[in-house]
Amino acid sequence: MAISGPLVAIYPGSFDPVTNGHLDLIRRSAKLVGRLIVAVLNNTSKQPLFSVEERKLMLKEVTADLAQVEVDSFDGLLVDYAERCGAQAIVRGIRTTSDYESEMQMALMNRHLRPGTETIFLMAAEEYSFLSSRMVKEVVKLGGDVSGFVPSVVWRRLQGL
Ligand SMILES: Nc1ncnc2c1ncn2[C@@H]1O[C@H](COP(=O)(O)OP(=O)(O)O)[C@@H](O)[C@H]1O
Ligand SMILES: [Mg+2]
């Protein structure tokens, strides 16, 4: 797959909800590509806290200042969605060695399914390398303050639950 013109990349994830770790990755990868599509995976097997529409709205709000970033959602195979978008690359974040193992499996499978699809890995920011949406949800459920780890729009939504 020859790349002509600016690179189009997809940053797929659950984003349930978007955290400062995700946002750091979005900001950094947006500088590397011509167009970044942040895509919420409509995963019917996971029981989400926020609906796909709510997750998209929060993502749109926190990326409003980034001209090259779009927010969308998809279901089915990521590589099929990438094909439909004309995207050549996938962006993913690596926090720990356990991320590395599962991310490598996914990257290799995606390349097998659609040869030429490259996955671009960015290392998590140090301060967010232990941060996950799952952790945010658990702490909030127990009444803890995670305002330093999520955008303010997300923090307000979490408090309103
Ligand atoms: N704190 C963080 N810092 C950097 N990358 C992160 C962080 N949290 C999640 N990511 C990365 O963002 C991507 C999407 O994560 P997530 O929303 O958990 O969706 P998924 O269900 O695909 O794991 C993954 O590549 C994940 O490794
Ligand atoms: Mg995850």
Side-chain angles (χ1 to χ4, degrees):
M1 187 164 39
I3 296 176
S4 59
L7 184 66
V8 179
I10 297 175
Y11 177 30
S14 305
F15 305 107
D16 186 36
V18 57
T19 68
N20 286 345
H22 292 127
L23 193 54
D24 171 65
L25 224 75
I26 292 170
R27 290 188 175 283
R28 285 159 56 208
S29 51
K31 289 186 195 153
L32 305 174
V33 303
R35 215 178 126 208
L36 182 71
I37 304 166
V38 181
V40 178
L41 170 63
N42 195 350
N43 186 345
T44 44
S45 68
K46 276 191 188 176
Q47 194 55 253
L49 181 62
F50 293 106
S51 71
V52 169
E53 283 312 311
E54 290 174 310
R55 283 178 266 164
K56 278 171 67 176
L57 278 176
M58 288 186 271
L59 278 164
K60 279 183 186 163
E61 194 161 337
V62 300
T63 59
D65 61 319
L66 300 168
Q68 8 6 4
V69 176
E70 293 158 42
V71 177
D72 193 15
S73 58
F74 73 104
D75 45 30
L77 277 181
L78 174 59
V79 289
D80 291 341
Y81 174 68
E83 182 74 42
R84 293 198 295 277
C85 296
Q88 309 91 348
I90 296 165
V91 169
R92 296 286 287 180
I94 301 270
R95 287 161 294 185
T96 57
T97 50
S98 61
D99 269 350
Y100 172 81
E101 291 199 7
S102 55
E103 292 292 341
M104 188 174 104
Q105 287 186 330
M106 283 191 282
L108 293 179
M109 181 56 83
N110 285 331
R111 197 165 63 189
H112 169 82
L113 294 171
R114 183 173 176 246
T117 306
E118 294 293 354
T119 305
I120 301 172
F121 292 107
L122 271 70
M123 294 303 262
E126 249 172 79
E127 63 269 43
Y128 304 133
S129 60
F130 59 92
L131 178 62
S132 65
S133 299
R134 188 179 55 84
M135 184 65 74
V136 162
K137 285 182 278 192
E138 283 178 10
V139 171
V140 164
K141 206 161 85 184
L142 301 171
D145 182 345
V146 292
S147 54
F149 299 119
V150 292
S152 51
V153 54
V154 174
W155 177 231
R156 284 196 300 275
R157 291 288 326 249
L158 287 167
Q159 285 176 303
L161 288 174

